[in-house]
Amino acid sequence: MNKPKSKKKRNEIKSVHFLSTKAKITIDYTTLREASIRLHSCMTPNLNFNIDWKFYYDETNNFKKLHIKNRDDFNANIESNFVLGGLCHDRSDEIDEALLFSNIKLQKTANEVKLTHIANGDFLNMLKSSKLTCFLENLSAMPLYLHYQSLNPLYYSLVDIIDSNHNEKFFKFNRVLKATIYDVLKSNLSKTKEIIKSYGYPNIGKNDVRNFIHDLIDLTEDELKKSSFLGEKKRFGLLLEFLRDTEDIDELVFLSDEDEYIMIKRLNELYSQNTVMFINSEHIFDNESDVQNSFAEVKMVYKDKDICNYSFVDSKSSVLVQASDVIIGVIGKLFSFIKHIDISLLSDVISNMNEIQIKNLDLLLTLYNKSINRNPSFINSIESDSELVKLNALNRIRCTK
């Protein structure tokens, strides 16, 4: 999901997703959906949003709102991605749900299966679980696919810095610049929090633009001095050129008229996104009162018809929602692992894995590749390229074995 480039359009979307009101708002998604499909198709071929499938959902690391708590620290762990998704299948395929957790010894008192029943700990420790092996093997034998939307909260909160400069000279470097500003501020989290507090980010007043950008320039220059890699130096140099061009802008258009210290107001738009994009499919969510209330506030319309392709269920009554809880929990841990490792150390980490860890890693990557090959639109990451490159490297290392 990309942020709209037009501030007017951005504000329209805020009014849909972020404004709490008793009156039900009617939103026609026809134009937005068709424009989004054209945009996505330009970037990635072989997408198919018109499929007739069933999507099951659960989430992990649902921080609901990201802000500086008491102007001191983030209210949530910004190093953990919010991940929404689970399993999906062609509606014509018959799924024997009893097979999903077959041959896995579970606690007799468990009235539903949760991730903690299958695996615990960080990603590397989860991979040691023999129960996870059984679960992933069961998935691999069934016509089930992985789908998810993953959101890096720090990255998502920072990209408006880059989008607020409309100099066409930098358009082709948009994602590189976003990844680089993310890397700079991620490496200096204490200073990043100080900057957010000092300027009331993301609401940068016109009189503060120059000083705000100067602080970012200082951090970037420090990173440039510490860097010993040519490619990295070039990225920092590009960011410095961009920031120096930005400091003369009167107003940072996407960082004005915002609530101070609140980086992400709600995550609910991610829940509705697939119901609009995969309009012909059925979407089954785990009960979540905040999300249900958000859906209830909006009457979604596509081509003059109400969008009614979703439902909320008690996870105890849906084995596929329970299975989605497990797989999305593992994906969340995968992203946390990726964030904390240097790409140069990936091969060493893998070489030190035991046999069960390697098997589980390969089963997970096989499911990922099977899903993205079936339909690339199943996988959606709002993520820095500097993190995604590590996921791709991990995939490449194991796929060549």
Side-chain angles (χ1 to χ4, degrees):
M1 183 186 71
N2 294 314
K3 291 188 176 181
K5 302 301 181 187
S6 160
K7 187 174 183 182
K8 180 180 178 182
K9 179 59 68 177
R10 193 84 64 86
N11 288 336
E12 287 174 355
I13 291 177
K14 284 180 191 174
S15 71
V16 176
H17 296 289
F18 299 148
L19 183 63
S20 178
T21 175
K22 293 181 179 179
K24 196 161 189 174
I25 306 168
T26 299
I27 302 297
D28 189 336
Y29 281 97
T30 306
T31 301
L32 179 61
R33 179 178 185 268
E34 292 172 357
S36 296
I37 289 175
R38 287 195 299 270
L39 176 63
H40 286 297
S41 298
C42 287
M43 297 184 292
T44 307
N46 304 321
L47 298 179
N48 186 358
F49 290 101
N50 295 319
I51 57 176
D52 183 10
W53 281 47
K54 296 184 77 170
F55 289 78
Y56 298 83
Y57 297 81
D58 211 317
E59 74 278 328
T60 188
N61 304 321
N62 188 355
F63 52 84
K64 297 187 179 181
K65 178 180 180 179
L66 182 66
H67 60 95
I68 290 286
K69 183 175 57 177
N70 300 322
R71 300 189 182 182
D72 180 44
D73 199 359
F74 293 109
N75 67 303
N77 181 6
I78 61 169
E79 297 184 5
S80 296
N81 280 18
F82 168 70
V83 187
L84 170 69
L87 298 172
C88 59
H89 66 84
D90 191 310
R91 196 188 296 270
S92 64
D93 288 330
E94 293 293 331
I95 304 297
D96 188 349
E97 295 186 357
L99 297 177
L100 278 165
F101 298 112
S102 63
N103 59 47
I104 301 177
K105 293 183 179 180
L106 299 170
Q107 299 173 2
K108 293 182 179 179
T109 56
N111 54 10
E112 67 175 315
V113 181
K114 291 287 190 181
L115 174 63
T116 53
H117 297 130
I118 304 298
N120 289 284
D122 61 19
F123 183 65
L124 293 180
N125 280 314
M126 278 190 169
L127 292 181
K128 296 176 182 178
S129 169
S130 58
K131 292 181 180 178
L132 182 61
T133 307
C134 292
F135 174 68
L136 292 174
E137 285 180 335
N138 292 343
L139 284 184
S140 68
M142 304 172 74
L144 288 168
Y145 297 82
L146 171 69
H147 74 94
Y148 66 75
Q149 298 172 80
S150 176
L151 182 145
N152 179 328
L154 181 62
Y155 175 76
Y156 187 68
S157 301
L158 299 174
V159 295
D160 281 341
I161 298 172
I162 305 302
D163 287 337
S164 290
N165 184 336
H166 295 158
N167 188 336
E168 295 181 4
K169 172 182 177 181
F170 298 104
F171 281 4
K172 64 181 178 180
F173 303 112
N174 183 268
R175 288 195 65 88
V176 174
L177 289 165
K178 288 177 178 178
T180 308
I181 193 71
Y182 165 79
D183 289 342
V184 168
L185 294 177
K186 176 189 173 187
S187 299
N188 298 275
L189 273 181
S190 295
K191 291 183 179 178
T192 298
K193 285 183 276 189
E194 286 298 321
I195 290 173
I196 290 172
K197 289 186 289 182
S198 296
Y199 297 102
Y201 187 92
N203 187 41
I204 309 299
K206 292 182 179 181
N207 294 333
D208 291 327
V209 170
R210 183 174 289 271
N211 289 335
F212 171 70
I213 296 298
H214 277 176
D215 285 351
L216 298 181
I217 288 173
D218 288 343
L219 287 180
T220 306
E221 287 178 336
D222 290 343
E223 290 300 305
L224 177 60
K225 291 173 184 176
K226 291 186 290 185
S227 177
S228 57
F229 299 102
L230 180 60
E232 196 171 57
K233 285 179 176 292
K234 287 182 177 180
R235 288 199 302 124
F236 290 139
L238 175 65
L239 180 59
L240 283 171
E241 181 184 355
F242 172 87
L243 292 172
R244 287 168 183 147
D245 183 79
T246 305
E247 67 180 336
D248 293 325
I249 294 176
D250 292 332
E251 180 184 24
L252 301 179
V253 64
F254 291 144
L255 295 173
S256 60
D257 300 323
E258 299 287 348
D259 293 327
E260 294 184 350
Y261 316 114
I262 300 177
M263 275 63 74
I264 300 175
K265 295 180 181 179
R266 289 168 74 178
L267 295 168
N268 294 11
E269 62 176 328
L270 290 177
Y271 289 82
S272 60
Q273 181 170 311
N274 269 6
T275 64
V276 173
M277 297 306 294
F278 294 98
I279 194 75
N280 299 318
S281 294
E282 181 180 356
H283 304 270
I284 300 98
F285 298 94
D286 186 19
N287 280 337
E288 178 68 41
S289 59
D290 288 347
V291 179
Q292 288 173 269
N293 290 337
S294 177
F295 272 85
E297 291 172 359
V298 179
K299 179 181 179 181
M300 301 189 296
V301 175
Y302 178 72
K303 292 186 177 180
D304 299 324
K305 294 182 178 179
D306 290 0
I307 299 175
C308 302
N309 58 355
Y310 57 88
S311 60
F312 293 87
V313 301
D314 186 337
S315 57
K316 294 183 180 67
S317 67
S318 173
V319 175
L320 278 162
V321 170
Q322 294 173 40
S324 295
D325 171 82
V326 175
I327 196 64
I328 288 305
V330 175
I331 294 296
K333 296 290 186 178
L334 169 61
F335 276 106
S336 294
F337 166 74
I338 289 296
K339 284 186 184 180
H340 288 93
I341 192 168
D342 189 289
I343 193 169
S344 63
L345 301 177
L346 272 175
S347 294
D348 290 340
V349 170
I350 293 172
S351 65
N352 288 323
M353 288 182 179
N354 63 33
E355 187 176 343
I356 294 179
Q357 285 177 302
I358 288 292
K359 185 169 186 178
N360 281 332
L361 177 61
D362 287 350
L363 283 168
L364 182 63
L365 291 175
T366 297
L367 176 63
Y368 173 86
N369 291 321
K370 165 188 169 183
S371 303
I372 208 166
N373 288 335
R374 178 64 186 260
N375 195 339
S377 58
F378 289 165
I379 307 300
N380 187 356
S381 292
I382 306 171
E383 180 64 90
S384 169
D385 285 352
S386 58
E387 305 291 8
L388 290 176
V389 70
K390 291 185 278 186
L391 176 59
N392 293 335
L394 177 65
N395 199 6
R396 186 171 60 253
I397 291 168
R398 288 312 305 161
C399 285
T400 57
K401 299 297 181 183

